Amino acid sequence: MVLDQPGAPLRQAELPDPTPGPGQLLVRVDACGVCRTDLHIADGELPRAKLPLVLGHQIVGTVVDEDRRVGIPWLAWTDGDCRFCRSGRENLCDRARFTGYDVDGGYAEYTVVAERFCLPLPEGYSARETAPLLCAGLIGYRSLRLAGDGERLGLFGFGASAHIVAQVARHQGRRVFAFTRPGDEEGQVFARELGAAWAGGSDERPPEELDAAIIFAPVGGLVPLALGAVAKGGTVICAGIHMSDIPAFSYELLWGERVVRSVANLTRRDGEEFLALAPQVPVRTSVALFPLGQANEALEHLRGGELRGAAVIDVLRS
């Protein structure tokens, strides 16, 4: 499924099988998660994408001519030599390339990947269950680490990432407070089923102050709301790669040593740590399956907030 230009629907196409170069693997795609970043790319909100482009960066596949499953995440390549890479911050590499953005991704039957950026996959998960772990889970895990050790955690936007992070946070002994779109009672019920101590609309105040909040929804207006919900010394994490403009707000909301920070991309270490942790929780992903030819429909369901958990393109069974 090919993106020819921003704003256009994906086009189903027959393409030659990709050819792996030195250090690369040819991978048969089994499943690929659908991420909000894919939607931002398709809509042109992330403007420097390679075109034409095959989207998708939560890829579970099997190496051709090998009985080996691999996970292919957003981070596709770094130079390994810049000051960011040498200081353990390869996620900030200025020359980094990203799967389904700079290089073709997993909305296809085959893809290629640099072997050193493949991730080992946990046992006991099917391809469709694993796919959301490779971005929704990884970005959520990195956000959770950067949020600190506070017990009271707010999650704004209860979708693919939050439904995974909530399970990890509960495993760590935290209490989760879930914020959905106002009136999304089904989403609030889903959050409570996953152990949330409280669930309500983003226009509501939680019953107590929070130690930290993670914003997964790409809505800048949630930043002052989250700041108003965290206690002094609390942290607000903006987890998305794109967000609408943050409105002006009173300094009083920030005062008291509150912190606002973003999360950018991920490192291979994040992936290795989280994918080792997931079966210990154990994390269970809620997925809605779409065949490859219905990738446009999957993106529209994501846009409309109609998913309970994550959307996954089931390539193996398409």
Side-chain angles (χ1 to χ4, degrees), residues 37-79:
T37 298
D38 301 338
L39 198 56
H40 293 316
I41 295 169
D43 289 346
E45 292 168 327
L46 299 178
R48 297 186 301 278
K50 176 188 85 70
L51 294 173
L53 174 69
V54 178
L55 295 169
H57 57 271
Q58 302 180 90
I59 306 168
V60 177
T62 305
V63 179
V64 173
D65 296 329
E66 296 184 37
D67 185 21
R68 177 163 56 119
R69 282 201 326 162
V70 295
I72 303 175
W74 172 244
L75 188 66
W77 180 88
T78 63
D79 62 26

Coordinates of all heavy atoms in Angstrom, one line a residue, residues 37-79:
T37 N 1.6 8.0 14.1 CA 2.6 8.6 13.3 C 2.4 8.3 11.8 O 2.6 9.2 10.9 CB 4.0 8.1 13.7 OG1 4.3 8.4 15.0 CG2 5.1 8.7 12.8
D38 N 1.9 7.1 11.4 CA 1.5 6.9 10.1 C 0.5 7.9 9.6 O 0.6 8.3 8.4 CB 1.0 5.4 9.9 CG 1.9 4.4 10.4 OD1 3.2 4.6 10.4 OD2 1.5 3.3 10.7
L39 N -0.4 8.2 10.4 CA -1.5 9.1 10.0 C -0.9 10.5 9.9 O -1.2 11.2 8.9 CB -2.5 9.1 11.1 CG -3.9 9.7 10.8 CD1 -4.5 9.1 9.6 CD2 -4.8 9.6 12.0
H40 N 0.0 10.9 10.7 CA 0.7 12.2 10.6 C 1.5 12.3 9.3 O 1.5 13.3 8.6 CB 1.6 12.5 11.8 CG 1.0 12.7 13.1 ND1 -0.2 13.4 13.2 CD2 1.3 12.2 14.3 CE1 -0.5 13.4 14.5 NE2 0.3 12.7 15.2
I41 N 2.1 11.2 8.9 CA 2.9 11.2 7.6 C 1.9 11.3 6.5 O 2.1 12.1 5.5 CB 3.8 9.9 7.6 CG1 4.8 9.9 8.6 CG2 4.4 9.8 6.2 CD1 5.5 8.6 8.8
A42 N 0.9 10.5 6.5 CA -0.1 10.4 5.4 C -0.8 11.8 5.2 O -1.1 12.2 4.1 CB -1.1 9.3 5.6
D43 N -1.0 12.5 6.3 CA -1.6 13.8 6.2 C -0.7 15.0 5.9 O -1.1 16.1 5.8 CB -2.3 14.1 7.6 CG -3.6 13.2 7.8 OD1 -4.0 12.6 6.8 OD2 -4.1 13.2 8.9
G44 N 0.6 14.7 5.9 CA 1.6 15.7 5.6 C 2.0 16.5 6.8 O 2.7 17.6 6.6
E45 N 1.7 16.1 8.0 CA 2.1 16.8 9.2 C 3.5 16.6 9.5 O 4.1 17.4 10.3 CB 1.1 16.5 10.3 CG -0.3 17.0 10.1 CD -1.3 16.4 11.1 OE1 -1.1 15.2 11.5 OE2 -2.3 17.1 11.4
L46 N 4.1 15.5 9.0 CA 5.5 15.3 9.1 C 6.0 15.3 7.6 O 5.9 14.4 6.9 CB 5.8 13.9 9.7 CG 5.4 13.7 11.1 CD1 5.7 12.3 11.6 CD2 6.0 14.7 12.0
P47 N 6.5 16.5 7.2 CA 6.6 16.8 5.8 C 7.8 16.3 5.0 O 7.8 16.4 3.8 CB 6.7 18.4 5.8 CG 7.4 18.7 7.1 CD 7.0 17.6 8.1
R48 N 8.8 15.7 5.6 CA 10.0 15.3 4.8 C 10.0 13.8 4.4 O 11.1 13.3 4.2 CB 11.2 15.7 5.6 CG 11.4 17.2 5.8 CD 12.7 17.5 6.5 NE 12.8 16.8 7.8 CZ 12.3 17.3 8.9 NH1 11.6 18.4 8.9 NH2 12.5 16.6 10.0
A49 N 8.9 13.2 4.4 CA 8.8 11.7 4.1 C 9.3 11.5 2.6 O 9.1 12.2 1.7 CB 7.4 11.2 4.2
K50 N 10.0 10.3 2.5 CA 10.3 9.8 1.1 C 9.0 9.5 0.4 O 8.1 8.9 0.9 CB 11.1 8.5 1.3 CG 11.5 7.9 0.0 CD 12.1 6.5 0.2 CE 11.1 5.4 0.4 NZ 10.3 5.1 -0.9
L51 N 8.9 10.0 -0.8 CA 7.7 9.7 -1.6 C 8.2 9.1 -3.0 O 9.1 9.6 -3.6 CB 6.9 10.9 -1.8 CG 6.2 11.5 -0.6 CD1 5.5 12.8 -0.9 CD2 5.2 10.5 0.0
P52 N 7.5 8.1 -3.5 CA 6.4 7.4 -2.9 C 6.9 6.6 -1.7 O 8.1 6.3 -1.7 CB 5.8 6.5 -4.0 CG 7.0 6.4 -5.0 CD 7.8 7.7 -4.9
L53 N 6.0 6.2 -0.8 CA 6.4 5.6 0.4 C 5.5 4.5 0.8 O 4.3 4.6 0.7 CB 6.4 6.7 1.5 CG 6.7 6.2 3.0 CD1 8.1 5.8 3.1 CD2 6.4 7.4 4.0
V54 N 6.1 3.4 1.4 CA 5.3 2.4 2.1 C 5.4 2.7 3.6 O 6.5 2.7 4.2 CB 5.9 1.0 1.8 CG1 5.1 -0.1 2.5 CG2 5.8 0.7 0.3
L55 N 4.2 3.0 4.2 CA 4.2 3.3 5.6 C 4.4 2.0 6.4 O 4.4 0.9 6.0 CB 2.8 3.9 5.9 CG 2.5 5.3 5.3 CD1 1.0 5.6 5.6 CD2 3.3 6.3 5.9
G56 N 4.5 2.3 7.8 CA 4.5 1.2 8.7 C 5.8 0.9 9.4 O 6.8 0.6 8.7
H57 N 5.8 0.9 10.7 CA 7.1 0.8 11.5 C 6.9 -0.1 12.7 O 7.7 0.0 13.6 CB 7.6 2.2 11.8 CG 6.7 3.0 12.6 ND1 5.8 3.8 12.0 CD2 6.5 3.1 14.0 CE1 5.1 4.5 13.0 NE2 5.5 4.0 14.2
Q58 N 5.8 -0.8 12.8 CA 5.7 -1.8 13.9 C 5.6 -3.2 13.3 O 4.5 -3.8 13.3 CB 4.4 -1.5 14.7 CG 4.4 -0.1 15.3 CD 3.2 0.2 16.1 OE1 3.1 0.0 17.3 NE2 2.1 0.7 15.5
I59 N 6.7 -3.7 12.8 CA 6.7 -4.8 11.9 C 7.2 -6.1 12.6 O 8.3 -6.1 13.2 CB 7.6 -4.5 10.7 CG1 7.3 -3.2 10.0 CG2 7.6 -5.7 9.7 CD1 8.3 -2.7 9.0
V60 N 6.4 -7.1 12.4 CA 6.8 -8.4 12.8 C 6.9 -9.3 11.6 O 6.0 -9.3 10.8 CB 5.8 -9.1 13.8 CG1 6.2 -10.5 14.2 CG2 5.7 -8.3 15.1
G61 N 8.1 -9.9 11.4 CA 8.3 -10.6 10.1 C 9.2 -11.8 10.3 O 9.8 -12.0 11.4
T62 N 9.4 -12.5 9.3 CA 10.3 -13.7 9.3 C 11.4 -13.5 8.2 O 11.1 -13.1 7.1 CB 9.5 -15.0 8.9 OG1 8.4 -15.1 9.9 CG2 10.4 -16.2 9.0
V63 N 12.6 -13.6 8.6 CA 13.7 -13.5 7.7 C 13.6 -14.5 6.6 O 13.5 -15.7 6.9 CB 15.1 -13.6 8.4 CG1 16.2 -13.4 7.4 CG2 15.2 -12.5 9.5
V64 N 13.7 -14.1 5.3 CA 13.6 -15.0 4.2 C 14.8 -16.0 4.2 O 15.9 -15.6 4.5 CB 13.6 -14.2 2.9 CG1 13.6 -15.2 1.7 CG2 12.3 -13.4 2.8
D65 N 14.4 -17.3 4.0 CA 15.4 -18.4 4.0 C 16.0 -18.7 5.4 O 17.0 -19.4 5.5 CB 16.6 -18.1 3.0 CG 16.1 -18.1 1.6 OD1 15.1 -18.7 1.3 OD2 16.7 -17.3 0.8
E66 N 15.3 -18.1 6.5 CA 15.7 -18.4 7.8 C 14.5 -18.6 8.6 O 13.4 -18.0 8.4 CB 16.6 -17.3 8.5 CG 17.9 -17.0 7.8 CD 18.7 -15.9 8.6 OE1 18.6 -15.9 9.8 OE2 19.3 -15.1 7.9
D67 N 14.5 -19.5 9.6 CA 13.4 -19.7 10.6 C 13.6 -18.7 11.7 O 13.8 -19.2 12.9 CB 13.4 -21.1 11.0 CG 12.1 -21.4 11.9 OD1 11.2 -20.6 11.8 OD2 12.2 -22.4 12.6
R68 N 13.6 -17.4 11.5 CA 13.9 -16.4 12.5 C 12.9 -15.3 12.4 O 12.8 -14.6 11.4 CB 15.3 -15.9 12.3 CG 15.7 -14.8 13.3 CD 17.2 -14.6 13.4 NE 17.9 -14.4 12.2 CZ 18.6 -13.2 12.0 NH1 18.6 -12.3 12.9 NH2 19.2 -13.1 10.8
R69 N 12.2 -15.1 13.5 CA 11.3 -13.9 13.6 C 12.1 -12.7 14.1 O 12.9 -12.8 15.0 CB 10.1 -14.1 14.6 CG 9.0 -15.0 14.1 CD 7.7 -14.8 14.8 NE 7.9 -14.5 16.3 CZ 6.9 -14.0 17.0 NH1 5.8 -13.7 16.5 NH2 7.2 -13.8 18.3
V70 N 11.7 -11.5 13.5 CA 12.4 -10.3 14.0 C 11.3 -9.2 14.1 O 10.3 -9.2 13.5 CB 13.5 -9.8 13.0 CG1 14.6 -10.8 12.9 CG2 12.9 -9.6 11.6
G71 N 11.7 -8.2 14.9 CA 10.8 -7.0 15.1 C 11.6 -5.8 14.5 O 12.8 -5.7 14.7
I72 N 10.8 -5.1 13.7 CA 11.4 -3.9 13.0 C 10.7 -2.7 13.5 O 9.5 -2.5 13.3 CB 11.3 -4.0 11.5 CG1 11.9 -5.3 11.0 CG2 11.9 -2.8 10.8 CD1 11.7 -5.5 9.5
P73 N 11.4 -1.8 14.3 CA 10.8 -0.6 14.9 C 11.0 0.6 14.0 O 11.5 0.6 12.9 CB 11.5 -0.5 16.2 CG 12.9 -0.9 15.8 CD 12.8 -2.0 14.7
W74 N 10.6 1.8 14.6 CA 10.7 3.1 13.9 C 12.1 3.5 13.6 O 12.4 3.9 12.5 CB 10.1 4.1 14.9 CG 10.2 5.6 14.5 CD1 10.9 6.5 15.3 CD2 9.6 6.3 13.4 NE1 10.7 7.8 14.7 CE2 10.0 7.7 13.6 CE3 8.8 5.9 12.4 CZ2 9.6 8.6 12.7 CZ3 8.4 6.9 11.5 CH2 8.8 8.2 11.6
L75 N 13.1 3.2 14.5 CA 14.5 3.6 14.2 C 15.1 2.6 13.3 O 15.3 1.4 13.6 CB 15.2 3.6 15.6 CG 16.7 4.1 15.5 CD1 16.7 5.6 15.1 CD2 17.4 3.9 16.8
A76 N 15.4 3.0 12.1 CA 15.9 2.1 11.0 C 17.5 2.2 10.9 O 18.1 1.2 10.4 CB 15.3 2.5 9.7
W77 N 18.1 3.3 11.3 CA 19.5 3.5 11.1 C 20.0 4.7 11.8 O 19.3 5.7 11.8 CB 19.9 3.6 9.6 CG 21.3 3.7 9.3 CD1 22.2 2.7 9.0 CD2 22.1 4.9 9.1 NE1 23.5 3.2 8.8 CE2 23.4 4.6 8.8 CE3 21.7 6.3 9.2 CZ2 24.4 5.5 8.6 CZ3 22.7 7.2 9.0 CH2 24.0 6.9 8.7
T78 N 21.2 4.6 12.4 CA 21.9 5.8 12.9 C 23.4 5.7 12.4 O 23.9 4.7 12.1 CB 21.8 5.9 14.4 OG1 22.5 4.8 15.0 CG2 20.4 6.0 14.9
D79 N 24.1 6.9 12.5 CA 25.5 6.9 12.0 C 26.4 6.2 13.0 O 27.5 5.8 12.7 CB 25.9 8.3 11.7 CG 25.9 9.3 12.8 OD1 26.0 8.8 14.0 OD2 25.8 10.5 12.6

